[in-house]
């Protein structure tokens, strides 16, 4: 579960980027893995989710949100949970600063 203490305040302007996401209307199963999904099936699903992210006008805002709240699950901003975890581990200060 994401650390909700890191979530932005409930002000519409902070969340407006979500209204423009290419993922709106897509099934959440594309972005979040089912229990036990591994190997090639997971890689295919993640690649399909990242393809949606690649055409998204708010991909940068999405990734910054996921990094800021340490979103633990799913593809956010074109990165898988494993990729985000590696980025945070490698550069925690930069991630905390929103770089």
């Amino acid at each position: 579960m994401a650390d909700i203490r890191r979530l932005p305040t409930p002000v519409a302007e902070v969340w407006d980027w979500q209204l423009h996401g290419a993922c709106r209307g897509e099934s959440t199963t594309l972005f979040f893995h089912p229990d036990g999904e591994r190997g090639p099936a997971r890689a295919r699903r993640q690649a399909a989710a990242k393809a949606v992210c690649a055409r998204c006008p708010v991909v940068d805002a999405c990734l910054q949100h996921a990094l800021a709240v340490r979103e633990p699950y799913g593809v956010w901003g074109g990165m898988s949970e494993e990729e985000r975890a590696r980025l945070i581990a490698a550069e925690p200060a930069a991630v905390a600063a929103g770089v």
Side-chain angles (χ1 to χ4, degrees):
M1 176 179 230
D3 184 351
I4 62 171
R5 292 174 296 172
R6 298 179 189 189
L7 290 174
T9 60
V11 177
E13 293 81 24
V14 177
W15 297 92
D16 274 352
W17 62 268
Q18 293 182 0
L19 299 174
H20 307 287
C23 59
R24 287 185 61 88
E26 296 282 347
S27 172
T28 57
T29 60
L30 181 60
F31 299 93
F32 298 94
H33 66 82
D35 288 340
E37 183 186 58
R38 301 278 187 270
R42 187 170 189 154
R44 282 191 301 274
R45 183 193 46 75
Q46 286 180 341
K50 289 177 182 183
V52 173
C53 296
R55 68 175 195 270
C56 184
V58 294
V59 67
D60 293 333
C62 181
L63 179 58
Q64 289 308 313
H65 166 77
L67 292 172
V69 302
R70 305 293 202 266
E71 182 61 54
Y73 302 109
V75 173
W76 289 77
M79 294 184 81
S80 69
E81 53 208 53
E82 298 86 7
E83 292 165 333
R84 291 191 312 278
R86 283 194 300 271
L87 180 63
I88 291 167
E91 301 183 46
V95 169
V99 174

